[in-house]
Amino acid sequence: RGVGLTATMRASLGLAAYRALFGRGSAPEFTARAARPSGELVWLHAAEPGSGRAVGDLARRMSVARPGLHTLVTTGPEVSAARVNPKNDNVMVEELPAEHPDAVAAFLDYWEPDVAIWIWGGLRPNLILAASERQIPMFLIDAGSDGFDARRDRWLPEVPRQLINQFSRVLTRSDQAHLRVAQMGCPLDRIEMMAPLQPTGQALSVAQSDLDEVGQAVKDRPVWLAAGVDPDELPVVIEAHQEALKSAHRLLLILEPGTEADGEAFASAVQQAGLRFVRWSEGEMPADENQVLLADLNGELGLWYRIAPVSFLGHSLFSGGRGCDPYEAAALGSAVLYGPNVRAYLQSYSRLAAAGAARIVNDADGLGRAVSQVIAPHHAARMAMAGWEVVSRGATVADRVFDLVQSALDGTD
């Protein structure tokens, strides 16, 4: 009489079938876009659609927090590499290799990661098993209950069960995910439940001398910022400021063109509107009679977000706009106003809006009314606190992941 297969035997057969399937033929050529830097390298894989920006922020935070650490973010067809956008030279973005064993070996031989972090699910057996065989410490973070529902997982259910045990720690994003991972056979002492991974923005740098000087110049004046303004948005911003001045005559607008090349055109438009202004590029500070500070040097947002308790983020009012990163403003305590076209950062704006930290506007009247209302100190402070809480939740998850990485790199895990 035949004997039934055990779970271990079924898993072994499933993996063998999978590896045989993807081992057929010659491997696709592996070519890296960047050179492998010397020193420690942490590899993160963004598997979930829409996760690129959150993973990019996590990679950047780790590279900043540990001197000499480089991070590699890989993406597959589900995640746009352009969305990762880490804004840090120590973060590299590459395509994930094919599952052919030779391509996997070439990838790991080239990058030699010291730690591997897999995000969400969508596990790749050949890659994960090869990394495990090389004794690379691995963590699965932000595990979702839907991260193990691919067609392959349904055909070969024992395969993800074996893969989950290659990770020394699994951070789940929900009760359902925690239960799913436990049902897959992951020991309970390896599972932690955390808030979902989300973008955290970055605390943009500032020259303290500039902050002190501008802060002294504006003193107790109400201030709002229009950042990343496109030329077609400029008339809206000017009209909104003129409207807001009727109820707050000392109100100062810090106006940042989307590109430095627009500085002259913006200066001309502000002058034609009859507004008294000074230009940051000419070293001028706003006096009490000035109504606009034209911030016509890019790369100074770390200063302006700290000065302005309310910020309108441009590239957002008209069709074709993609928006600006709202977490950069929220991380520095500025309440956020924005237009309806923010597709590149839609999830981030949605989270802030749901928390009461951001408010959508559609035209000059709406922007003018919003500025007049939000500029009130108690209103701006309430929105800023809500934004800080959203950013902090993401930072808590990132800090826990970094603790795991630190322990693995230092050999104390």
Side-chain angles (χ1 to χ4, degrees):
R1 288 168 41 180
V3 179
L5 294 176
T6 65
T8 301
M9 293 170 65
R10 288 195 301 270
S12 298
L13 288 173
L15 277 175
Y18 177 91
R19 304 189 87 169
L21 175 64
F22 281 90
R24 293 176 179 175
S26 58
E29 183 179 356
F30 168 75
T31 304
R33 289 196 293 261
R36 203 287 192 194
S38 60
E40 297 173 331
L41 184 138
V42 174
W43 162 40
L44 306 92
H45 177 60
E48 182 180 21
S51 66
R53 195 163 303 282
V55 177
D57 281 356
L58 174 60
R60 175 189 51 76
R61 287 175 70 91
M62 288 196 291
S63 293
V64 170
R66 187 175 175 104
L69 177 67
H70 289 77
T71 52
L72 168 70
V73 177
T74 54
T75 63
E78 305 85 1
V79 177
S80 169
R83 292 291 181 93
V84 176
N85 191 26
K87 300 180 182 178
N88 187 293
D89 291 340
N90 287 343
V91 180
M92 297 156 289
V93 183
E94 297 275 350
E95 292 291 330
L96 197 68
E99 267 283 79
H100 192 287
D102 292 345
V104 167
F107 172 83
L108 294 175
D109 286 344
Y110 183 86
W111 288 109
E112 295 184 331
D114 297 287
V115 177
I117 301 173
W118 202 274
I119 294 97
W120 176 63
L123 305 180
R124 295 275 295 268
N126 285 343
L127 195 51
I128 290 171
L129 291 173
S132 179
E133 289 165 0
R134 296 176 185 231
Q135 298 185 327
I136 298 170
M138 291 192 295
F139 307 106
L140 173 60
I141 70 166
D142 202 36
S145 59
D146 56 344
F148 312 98
D149 289 335
R151 181 179 301 177
R152 184 210 67 216
D153 298 330
R154 294 193 294 271
W155 286 352
L156 302 171
E158 298 300 330
V159 172
R161 290 176 180 272
Q162 185 155 338
L163 295 177
I164 203 76
N165 285 301
Q166 309 305 315
F167 297 98
S168 57
R169 181 71 57 174
V170 178
L171 307 186
T172 60
R173 64 167 67 159
S174 65
D175 290 332
Q176 294 87 344
H178 190 283
L179 177 60
R180 182 71 180 272
V181 170
Q183 290 174 336
M184 292 168 64
C186 184
L188 292 179
D189 61 359
R190 293 190 196 174
I191 310 173
E192 296 179 38
M193 193 166 72
M194 300 286 294
L197 183 69
Q198 63 186 47
T200 59
Q202 56 180 319
L204 301 173
S205 61
V206 64
Q208 187 61 44
S209 58
D210 287 342
L211 182 60
D212 293 342
E213 193 171 1
V214 177
Q216 180 63 29
V218 302
K219 296 178 183 176
D220 58 350
R221 292 183 65 176
V223 180
W224 72 291
L225 165 68
V229 177
D230 290 332
D232 57 354
E233 294 175 321
L234 180 58
V236 175
V237 171
I238 289 176
E239 184 180 342
H241 187 52
Q242 291 172 322
E243 183 64 27
L245 280 168
K246 295 177 183 179
S247 56
H249 69 277
R250 299 185 67 240
L251 182 64
L252 175 69
L253 164 64
I254 301 175
L255 175 60
E256 192 222 28
T259 64
E260 287 186 17
D262 290 330
E264 288 298 331
F266 274 48
S268 178
V270 171
Q271 187 173 36
Q272 289 178 12
L275 295 169
R276 298 181 295 276
F277 71 100
V278 292
R279 296 184 66 167
W280 179 251
S281 63
E282 296 177 357
E284 299 176 306
M285 287 289 168
D288 285 345
E289 65 271 15
N290 296 127
Q291 298 158 312
V292 178
L293 169 58
L294 182 56
D296 51 350
L297 292 178
N298 291 155
E300 304 274 5
L301 278 176
L303 170 60
W304 308 131
Y305 284 143
R306 286 174 170 88
I307 292 292
V310 179
S311 296
F312 166 71
L313 305 187
H315 303 313
S316 66
L317 277 176
F318 299 109
S319 177
R322 294 175 55 82
C324 304
D325 186 350
Y327 281 179
E328 293 180 345
L332 293 176
S334 195
V336 173
L337 306 176
Y338 66 101
N341 297 283
V342 292
R343 66 183 187 277
Y345 301 90
L346 182 58
Q347 290 184 346
S348 298
Y349 280 99
S350 297
R351 288 192 183 100
L352 290 172
R359 177 172 167 179
I360 192 170
V361 298
N362 293 299
D363 52 29
D365 287 343
L367 180 57
R369 287 194 301 271
V371 170
S372 297
Q373 294 168 4
V374 177
I375 203 67
H378 68 282
H379 198 151
R382 185 166 62 249
M383 290 183 69
M385 180 59 68
W388 175 249
E389 289 176 354
V390 171
V391 173
S392 296
R393 285 197 294 270
T396 298
V397 179
D399 289 345
R400 174 56 182 146
V401 175
F402 184 63
D403 287 343
L404 293 172
V405 169
Q406 288 263 74
S407 295
L409 291 173
D410 295 338
T412 58
D413 187 19

